[in-house]
Amino acid sequence: MKIALLQLNLTVGDLEGNIELILDGVHKAAKRGARLCITSELALTGYPPRDLLLNADFVTRCREAVSEISRRMPEGVALLAGGVDLNHEGVGNPLRNAAWLIERGAVPNVFYKWLLPTYDVFDEQRYFEPAENVNFFEYDGLKIGVTICEDVWNDQENCSGHRYGSNPIPEIMKMNPDVLVNLSASPFNIGKQQEREKLLGDIASKYRVPIFYANQVGGNDDLVFDGRSCVFDNRGSLVARGHGFKDDVVVVESDCSTGFIEEDDFCEEAEAWEAMVLGLRDYLGKTGFSRVVLGLSGGIDSALTAAVAAEALGPENVTGVLMPSPYSSKGSVDDSLDLVKNIGINCTTIPIDKLMGQFEEALAPTFEGLPANVTEENIQSRIRGNLVMAISNKMGALLVTTGNKSELAVGYCTIYGDMAGGLAVISDLYKSLVFRVCRWLNTQGRGEIIPVAIIEKPPSAELRPGQKDEDSLPPYDVLDRIIELRVEGHKAESEIIAETGFDPETVQHVLRLIRISEFKRKQAAPGLKITSRAFGTGWRMPIACRFTG
């Protein structure tokens, strides 16, 4: 029997649109001979629905959507669709994370998720009650075990950390299924697909059962889903993989005798690029924008952001704004113009020297007798923030910010200045990764995208004469490693020093900057998640905090 994995770009809350996408996928799969179609987790709602699940009318309409799909299903095809059900037991949380088995004219069967993650970006125990029964059914003579996303991530021999006291897979295997299926909404981070394929292949090999894995694709708020739905045979060998970062319908025989593995590029630079392009495109498309505006400084961060925007939306829908000050070098202006020419975006120039003078004059009585400091630097950034926000308002274009993860971690950014905007495109890329992505981009057969002069110049905010980032920050290879060990590795100060051999004062200084910059991050634009832990929905640090260590 042919099984189809429906890898769809679903929108949170768009029940009508999601229904149409699912049914369209079913019809495409049916034309290719599929008898059973499988969606991603919570496909009807889009993932993650978050507190929409607290809206009783939304939940009612989600359940009504199951009936509508049943009425419109083609004959001879079944659909296993992710959705929501009520917890009919009357004890515990009010909802269940469900997989609905839908056939035309038949009463739907339903299966529930066992393991409910509450870590990083996940908060499912806020809404759902876990399953109590084994998820298993027979269809057209095929015995099928059903898992939903996290249910496959607690197998005792295949996972490094066990968050749950139960494992649904051995329980399902007692039913001797012919195949296991998994409905997933697994957010992207660099290296995640290799981790998934290792896990799924090990499970298939260990239990001697094929596993069919359907993943969501597309961007929803700060999360990007890379798709890459895949199938493993009972020896643990990969027999099929869907496209990365775009819609697909993957059809494979249940005995894994057929299957096609799409080519993919798993290098960090390629993955980061694809995720940012998809994340930005969907963020705009799903929030009603079609154009973006951003400030161009002549630096590498704004250059990469502009290149991502041009790729995602088309260069005609991107406007770069040059706002030179008396401290802006001629090279930075020229480099920005070269970038504009390379990627073909729109451009406008607004010098800010007169505005700086007016601010200085207006503030002179209040600042009398006080020395110049970072205040004057921040005023420049805020002038620029006002200008690009005005253009954003007038053009109806989303302002995207250009700060990277290294800057955001240590507060090397200005609230209401360069932090102003609706989406932080590269905010989860360390500065060192920004450089690597730009170099990689220039080797992809399209000529020079990022001007070499931008890549080679020492990073600088250019807010005072001769300024360089390393005047106030450690070298980026040192800074980024400390941030990575703290933010992604959850390492203590002593562990970081022991692992890296870095100067203890440098480590302490960076960790202090990370801690005291939390108030800025709480006011930052949403940022696309690229690494295993971003400063977004999965980062929940207090602002008023004195813990050191």
Side-chain angles (χ1 to χ4, degrees):
M1 182 177 76
K2 288 185 177 180
I3 298 175
L5 307 178
L6 308 185
Q7 181 175 295
L8 307 174
N9 191 336
L10 305 152
T11 300
V12 172
D14 184 10
L15 298 176
E16 292 78 10
N18 293 342
I19 288 171
E20 297 306 321
L21 285 175
I22 291 168
L23 286 169
D24 181 63
V26 169
H27 283 283
K28 288 178 179 177
K31 288 180 180 179
R32 295 169 59 186
R35 294 291 315 284
L36 175 64
C37 300
I38 303 166
T39 76
S40 54
E41 176 184 17
L42 292 173
L44 289 170
T45 67
Y47 192 96
R50 298 193 171 119
D51 277 7
L52 278 178
L53 295 171
L54 303 180
N55 185 314
D57 182 59
F58 179 72
V59 173
T60 297
R61 290 168 62 191
C62 288
R63 298 178 77 239
E64 290 171 349
V66 174
S67 299
E68 180 178 345
I69 290 176
S70 178
R71 290 192 300 270
R72 297 173 58 187
M73 281 287 290
E75 295 285 356
V77 182
L79 170 68
L80 201 55
V84 176
D85 194 18
L86 299 174
N87 174 14
H88 300 284
E89 300 301 318
V91 177
N93 286 324
L95 303 175
R96 305 258 195 190
N97 186 330
W100 293 92
L101 180 62
I102 307 170
E103 297 178 74
R104 184 179 181 89
V107 177
N109 198 354
V110 65
F111 311 98
Y112 302 131
K113 188 173 182 177
W114 274 50
L115 306 181
L116 303 175
T118 303
Y119 60 88
D120 191 38
V121 300
F122 307 107
D123 200 7
E124 293 194 27
Q125 292 182 32
R126 178 180 176 90
Y127 314 103
F128 300 120
E129 193 68 11
E132 299 169 349
N133 302 311
V134 173
N135 294 326
F136 177 87
F137 70 100
E138 292 190 36
Y139 180 71
D140 201 22
L142 194 71
K143 295 182 290 184
I144 301 166
V146 180
T147 60
I148 302 176
C149 203
E150 190 82 353
D151 290 346
V152 298
W153 286 89
N154 200 50
D155 194 63
Q156 300 303 307
E157 296 177 12
N158 297 302
C159 299
S160 57
H162 308 303
R163 299 177 181 272
Y164 314 93
S166 62
N167 179 12
I169 297 177
E171 299 304 313
I172 294 173
M173 292 309 301
K174 292 176 183 178
M175 308 298 291
N176 296 314
D178 297 310
V179 299
L180 285 177
V181 301
N182 183 262
L183 294 74
S184 188
S186 178
F188 165 80
N189 62 253
I190 289 173
K192 186 66 170 290
Q193 182 66 11
Q194 294 98 314
E195 186 181 358
R196 294 182 193 124
E197 292 188 5
K198 173 67 164 60
L199 172 75
L200 296 169
D202 286 351
I203 290 173
S205 175
K206 173 183 175 181
Y207 294 103
R208 307 298 295 177
V209 63
I211 186 165
F212 288 68
Y213 170 88
N215 193 27
Q216 180 172 296
V217 71
N220 282 326
D221 292 356
D222 56 325
L223 301 183
V224 179
F225 299 86
D226 51 326
R228 293 165 164 168
S229 302
C230 51
V231 179
F232 290 82
D233 65 20
N234 61 7
R235 296 167 296 179
S237 298
L238 179 69
V239 297
R241 182 200 296 132
H243 282 288
F245 302 100
K246 65 180 181 180
D247 297 20
D248 204 355
V249 174
V250 180
V251 179
V252 180
E253 289 283 355
S254 58
D255 64 1
C256 298
S257 59
T258 62
F260 181 77
I261 300 172
E262 292 288 348
E263 291 186 9
D264 214 324
D265 189 343
F266 294 114
C267 81
E268 292 186 357
E269 296 86 353
E271 287 205 305
W273 172 261
E274 293 287 354
M276 290 187 294
V277 169
L278 177 59
L280 175 58
R281 180 185 296 134
D282 277 0
Y283 189 88
L284 264 72
K286 294 178 181 181
T287 55
F289 287 91
S290 59
R291 296 184 293 172
V292 300
V293 61
L294 74 159
L296 294 179
S297 67
I300 197 164
D301 296 323
S302 61
L304 179 58
T305 305
V308 170
E311 181 76 9
L313 308 171
E316 69 279 5
N317 294 311
V318 181
T319 297
V321 186
L322 280 68
M323 296 166 284
S325 80
Y327 306 126
S328 300
S329 67
K330 182 178 184 299
S332 290
V333 174
D334 291 343
D335 293 342
S336 292
L337 294 175
D338 287 343
L339 172 75
V340 167
K341 182 179 179 181
N342 287 356
I343 61 180
I345 64 173
N346 306 304
C347 179
T348 186
T349 301
I350 307 175
I352 67 168
D353 48 347
K354 291 183 180 179
L355 290 170
M356 288 170 59
Q358 291 169 339
F359 268 80
E360 182 179 350
E361 181 181 351
L363 290 167
T366 303
F367 287 178
E368 185 176 1
L370 299 175
N373 58 11
V374 71
T375 302
E376 284 73 19
E377 296 182 23
N378 287 340
I379 287 172
Q380 294 175 59
S381 182
R382 290 179 180 131
I383 290 171
R384 289 174 171 136
N386 267 297
L387 293 174
V388 287
M389 275 304 308
I391 294 170
S392 170
N393 292 159
K394 185 64 69 174
M395 295 174 55
L398 182 76
L399 174 60
V400 292
T401 73
T402 61
N404 60 64
K405 188 172 190 172
S406 307
E407 295 172 347
L408 195 59
V410 297
Y412 200 67
C413 46
T414 304
I415 294 179
Y416 323 123
D418 60 314
M419 292 179 69
L423 183 68
V425 178
I426 68 167
S427 65
D428 200 28
L429 268 65
Y430 298 101
K431 186 77 167 190
S432 52
L433 182 54
V434 171
F435 277 100
R436 285 165 47 204
V437 172
C438 288
R439 293 190 184 100
W440 169 87
L441 188 58
N442 281 354
T443 66
Q444 297 307 296
R446 294 188 287 178
E448 181 185 86
I449 304 298
I450 308 299
V452 173
I454 289 179
I455 298 174
E456 292 181 345
K457 75 172 67 172
S460 171
E462 292 194 332
L463 297 174
R464 63 173 184 267
Q467 185 181 32
K468 292 182 175 60
D469 289 4
E470 290 188 11
D471 295 341
S472 52
L473 295 174
Y476 277 111
D477 57 345
V478 173
L479 178 66
D480 290 351
R481 184 61 177 151
I482 296 171
I483 297 170
E484 180 184 14
L485 289 171
R486 181 63 141 194
V487 175
E488 296 185 62
H490 315 289
K491 300 287 187 179
E493 175 187 311
S494 59
E495 294 175 298
I496 295 173
I497 294 170
E499 183 169 335
T500 63
F502 293 157
D503 174 56
E505 289 188 4
T506 299
V507 174
Q508 291 164 7
H509 174 60
V510 172
L511 296 185
R512 177 181 178 274
L513 290 177
I514 293 174
R515 186 176 69 254
I516 66 174
S517 300
E518 187 61 35
F519 79 100
K520 288 188 178 183
R521 291 190 291 271
K522 284 292 191 294
Q523 301 178 67
L528 300 175
K529 184 179 186 295
I530 302 297
T531 69
S532 63
R533 195 180 191 203
F535 293 125
T537 53
W539 179 264
R540 307 180 189 186
M541 289 294 180
I543 295 175
C545 174
R546 294 187 178 180
F547 175 77
T548 60

